[in-house]
Amino acid sequence: MLLIHLFIYLGIIAAGVSGALVGIKKELDLFGVVCLCIATSLGGGIVRDILIGNLPPAAFVDAKYFFVSLTSGLFTWIFYQKIKRMNHLVISDAIGLGVFTAVGSNTAMSLFSDNYFLILSMGLITGIGGGVLRDIFSKEIPYVFKKEVYAIASIVGALSFILIHGTVSNTFAMYVCLLVTFLIRIIAVIYKINFPIYREKTDLPSNL
Amino acid sequence: MLLIHLFIYLGIIAAGVSGALVGIKKELDLFGVVCLCIATSLGGGIVRDILIGNLPPAAFVDAKYFFVSLTSGLFTWIFYQKIKRMNHLVISDAIGLGVFTAVGSNTAMSLFSDNYFLILSMGLITGIGGGVLRDIFSKEIPYVFKKEVYAIASIVGALSFILIHGTVSNTFAMYVCLLVTFLIRIIAVIYKINFPIYREKTDLPSNL
Amino acid sequence: MLLIHLFIYLGIIAAGVSGALVGIKKELDLFGVVCLCIATSLGGGIVRDILIGNLPPAAFVDAKYFFVSLTSGLFTWIFYQKIKRMNHLVISDAIGLGVFTAVGSNTAMSLFSDNYFLILSMGLITGIGGGVLRDIFSKEIPYVFKKEVYAIASIVGALSFILIHGTVSNTFAMYVCLLVTFLIRIIAVIYKINFPIYREKTDLPSNL
């Protein structure tokens, strides 16, 4: 088994935990928590497979990803009090973003190798799609639209995959994509780098 | 015409009425009420067909399901005062859940007969997908994620379909699936069986 | 270049501006504003292409529509104070509704020429789909379900396309569809024509 598979499972688990945490906070029942967990883990890949016509999506053809995600959801339910306090979730989440971006870019590259725009889009959608689904199911504006350098890390990662692809092996290109995405995301977290939000200038005097 | 077709129409009508009732309560206009009605009736099957690559979805190829749903929506609009007080809606709703699960499992079985995980997933998604779409369109967290033994009835029903399939005729297996789903759902309603919701233990003294 | 292409770009820009305006009002960050802009511009066509199995969707195959939409989003961000006060946006929005309906009907006709129900549905979904996605992403009940003669304009436009198709050239039929949709929408805006909303009769005396 390649190292990349370990990272894929880690990404699925990190995403599943984030989905389950939101589900518990929103007072969903156990079924709802598990659904949110699975949607967050596998949703990005499912949306990508729908868009590129790879049907049924990989997540339905091979159940092993489903069971990994399901297990992470049940663990989050059982050990909620401990898991919700874990600060290093941000690290596995960043690995997840990186590995999903790498897998998405690679899948699109294997089918449509000459369309860089499509490859970039599929890297991004695989990277952030699960989180967007999680937020829509839990009646929130997608977090990725509101805060933090999250999507940009995925975009730059997918770009790096496209740039070095062809000169190195596929697997190596995926590792580079993972690393670039991970580093940008972690740097953004450490230095609290956010994207601008439009602030309306008010003409009212602030005082008197 | 087989009896199963009668149940299918009953399921479409029950789902359509539930969608239209939500639409009227949310103060949508007549077009919105009809859209919500149709999304609830046909949404589960449309999502299933997208996922298994059966495109365009059956609901767009043959308009008769659309017109049955549309009619149920207009009836709900006209007779809203009477329909909103009908308690036995829960029975036709349970029939709908059962028949959608049976149709979804059977459709997936006809295309991918050896992938039980896919068949189970498609039974469930056909069963609950319409209600999930209805709730997202009306800005609610999907009801099926929050309350009651609803999805589990569909899952067990699809399992029963997979188990007896091959030993009996297709149609008979669908009736069994319908009956199992229906009974579990009705029993859960009668005995008010709910799935657990995570309750945080507070360490604060409740008094003083 | 045919005139219809100019209208298509105008429609993409009008939809993109409407998406970006909502994004800024909802206090999304720049990435979120751009995402909402692109979802509104291209979402209707993407959903249509998923439903008719035209995968990957046209918007991912040819990046030029993406870049037109992206540019409209960035312009809206930069010139927000001016653009938000523009009343004639309603005119370009109506052109957008008309041209998306025409393109959607024509695309479905080219693949499934004998299924009028499908053609009508795809015209409508291409016309209103982007706005529905915009509203779901920004946690609102889709505007088109709540107010104004918007969808009906698209439905009648698609009907006119189906009726005259075959007797005139494809392109001419698209212009007729655009014009019919545009006129109905504009007349509805001018005369403030709304679809009925169900009002519950209260038995309470309104006074004393």
Side-chain angles (χ1 to χ4, degrees):
Chain A
M1 189 167 101
L2 289 166
L3 185 61
I4 195 85
H5 288 117
L6 274 183
F7 285 123
I8 290 175
Y9 289 124
L10 190 59
I12 288 174
I13 292 167
V17 169
S18 102
L21 287 176
V22 170
I24 293 171
K25 266 175 217 154
K26 290 270 175 177
E27 305 198 335
L28 304 192
D29 66 14
L30 181 52
F31 175 78
V33 169
V34 164
C35 275
L36 216 55
C37 162
I38 291 163
T40 315
S41 286
L42 309 180
I46 290 171
V47 172
R48 175 205 64 221
D49 283 347
I50 289 173
L51 289 171
I52 60 176
N54 181 29
L55 299 173
F60 289 103
V61 173
D62 188 343
K64 68 173 181 271
Y65 305 110
F66 167 83
F67 283 110
V68 170
S69 174
L70 176 67
T71 308
S72 77
L74 296 175
F75 258 79
T76 308
W77 180 276
I78 296 166
F79 301 108
Y80 176 63
Q81 294 299 334
K82 279 180 192 158
I83 291 176
K84 72 171 179 176
R85 276 189 288 263
M86 283 164 70
N87 288 322
H88 42 291
L89 274 180
V90 74
I91 293 174
S92 46
D93 188 67
I95 295 175
L97 181 66
V99 78
F100 286 167
T101 304
V103 169
S105 305
N106 189 52
T107 306
M109 176 73 86
S110 68
L111 291 169
F112 309 94
S113 60
D114 52 350
N115 188 334
Y116 294 156
F117 172 68
L118 182 70
I119 294 164
L120 187 66
S121 307
M122 293 305 125
L124 175 64
I125 285 171
T126 314
I128 70 170
V132 170
L133 275 184
R134 174 198 65 208
D135 294 342
I136 289 176
F137 280 144
S138 55
K139 208 171 85 173
E140 293 294 337
I141 293 180
Y143 186 75
V144 70
F145 291 173
K146 298 196 80 171
K147 256 198 172 170
E148 298 191 27
V149 171
Y150 197 91
I152 294 301
S154 173
I155 291 173
V156 179
L159 271 177
S160 73
F161 178 85
I162 292 169
L163 281 176
I164 64 161
H165 187 269
T167 61
V168 296
S169 78
N170 246 18
T171 313
F172 188 82
M174 286 173 77
Y175 284 123
V176 171
C177 172
L178 199 171
L179 190 69
V180 168
T181 309
F182 175 80
L183 286 179
I184 296 176
R185 173 70 189 132
I186 290 295
I187 289 168
V189 170
I190 293 172
Y191 294 98
K192 298 201 169 101
I193 302 169
N194 283 310
F195 243 50
I197 295 176
Y198 196 97
R199 305 278 177 208
E200 295 222 32
K201 288 165 232 129
T202 55
D203 297 329
L204 297 169
S206 62
N207 210 322
L208 236 205
Chain B
M1 190 167 103
L2 289 167
L3 186 60
I4 197 85
H5 288 117
L6 274 182
F7 285 123
I8 291 175
Y9 288 124
L10 190 59
I12 289 174
I13 291 167
V17 169
S18 102
L21 287 176
V22 170
I24 292 171
K25 266 174 216 153
K26 291 271 175 177
E27 305 199 334
L28 304 191
D29 67 13
L30 181 52
F31 176 78
V33 169
V34 164
C35 276
L36 215 56
C37 162
I38 291 163
T40 315
S41 286
L42 309 180
I46 291 171
V47 172
R48 177 204 63 221
D49 283 346
I50 289 173
L51 289 171
I52 61 177
N54 181 29
L55 300 172
F60 289 104
V61 173
D62 188 342
K64 68 171 181 273
Y65 306 111
F66 167 83
F67 283 111
V68 170
S69 174
L70 176 66
T71 307
S72 77
L74 296 176
F75 258 78
T76 308
W77 180 275
I78 296 166
F79 301 108
Y80 176 63
Q81 294 300 334
K82 278 179 192 160
I83 290 175
K84 73 171 179 176
R85 275 190 290 262
M86 282 163 72
N87 288 321
H88 42 292
L89 274 180
V90 74
I91 292 175
S92 45
D93 187 68
I95 295 175
L97 181 66
V99 77
F100 286 167
T101 303
V103 170
S105 305
N106 189 53
T107 305
M109 176 74 85
S110 69
L111 291 169
F112 309 95
S113 60
D114 53 350
N115 187 334
Y116 294 155
F117 173 67
L118 182 70
I119 295 165
L120 188 65
S121 307
M122 293 306 125
L124 175 64
I125 286 172
T126 313
I128 70 171
V132 171
L133 276 183
R134 173 198 64 208
D135 294 342
I136 288 176
F137 280 144
S138 55
K139 207 172 83 172
E140 294 293 338
I141 293 181
Y143 185 75
V144 71
F145 291 173
K146 298 198 79 173
K147 256 200 172 172
E148 298 190 26
V149 172
Y150 197 92
I152 294 300
S154 172
I155 291 172
V156 179
L159 271 178
S160 72
F161 178 85
I162 292 168
L163 282 176
I164 65 161
H165 187 267
T167 62
V168 296
S169 78
N170 245 20
T171 313
F172 188 82
M174 287 173 77
Y175 284 124
V176 171
C177 172
L178 197 172
L179 190 68
V180 169
T181 310
F182 175 80
L183 286 179
I184 297 176
R185 173 70 188 132
I186 289 295
I187 289 168
V189 171
I190 292 173
Y191 294 98
K192 296 198 170 103
I193 302 169
N194 283 309
F195 244 50
I197 295 176
Y198 196 97
R199 304 279 175 208
E200 295 223 31
K201 288 166 232 125
T202 54
D203 296 327
L204 297 170
S206 60
N207 210 320
L208 239 202
Chain C
M1 188 167 107
L2 288 166
L3 185 60
I4 197 83
H5 289 117
L6 273 183
F7 284 123
I8 290 175
Y9 288 124
L10 190 59
I12 288 173
I13 291 167
V17 168
S18 102
L21 287 176
V22 169
I24 293 171
K25 266 175 216 153
K26 291 269 175 177
E27 304 197 337
L28 304 191
D29 66 14
L30 181 53
F31 175 78
V33 169
V34 164
C35 276
L36 215 56
C37 162
I38 291 163
T40 315
S41 286
L42 309 180
I46 290 171
V47 172
R48 177 204 62 221
D49 283 347
I50 289 173
L51 289 172
I52 60 176
N54 181 29
L55 300 172
F60 289 103
V61 173
D62 187 343
K64 68 171 180 271
Y65 306 111
F66 167 83
F67 283 111
V68 171
S69 174
L70 176 66
T71 308
S72 78
L74 296 175
F75 258 79
T76 308
W77 180 276
I78 296 166
F79 300 109
Y80 175 64
Q81 294 299 334
K82 277 180 193 159
I83 290 175
K84 73 171 179 175
R85 275 190 288 264
M86 282 164 70
N87 288 321
H88 42 291
L89 275 180
V90 74
I91 293 174
S92 45
D93 187 67
I95 295 175
L97 181 66
V99 78
F100 286 167
T101 303
V103 169
S105 305
N106 189 52
T107 305
M109 177 74 87
S110 69
L111 291 169
F112 309 95
S113 60
D114 52 351
N115 188 334
Y116 294 155
F117 173 67
L118 183 69
I119 295 165
L120 187 66
S121 307
M122 293 306 124
L124 175 65
I125 285 171
T126 313
I128 70 171
V132 170
L133 276 183
R134 174 199 63 209
D135 294 341
I136 289 176
F137 281 144
S138 56
K139 207 171 81 172
E140 294 293 338
I141 293 180
Y143 185 76
V144 70
F145 291 173
K146 298 196 80 172
K147 255 199 174 172
E148 296 190 28
V149 171
Y150 198 91
I152 294 300
S154 173
I155 291 173
V156 178
L159 270 178
S160 73
F161 178 85
I162 292 170
L163 281 176
I164 64 161
H165 186 270
T167 61
V168 296
S169 79
N170 246 17
T171 312
F172 188 82
M174 287 173 76
Y175 284 123
V176 170
C177 172
L178 199 172
L179 190 69
V180 169
T181 309
F182 175 80
L183 285 179
I184 296 176
R185 173 70 188 133
I186 290 295
I187 288 168
V189 170
I190 293 173
Y191 293 99
K192 296 197 171 103
I193 303 169
N194 283 309
F195 243 51
I197 296 176
Y198 196 97
R199 304 281 177 208
E200 295 223 30
K201 287 167 232 126
T202 56
D203 296 327
L204 298 170
S206 59
N207 209 322
L208 241 201

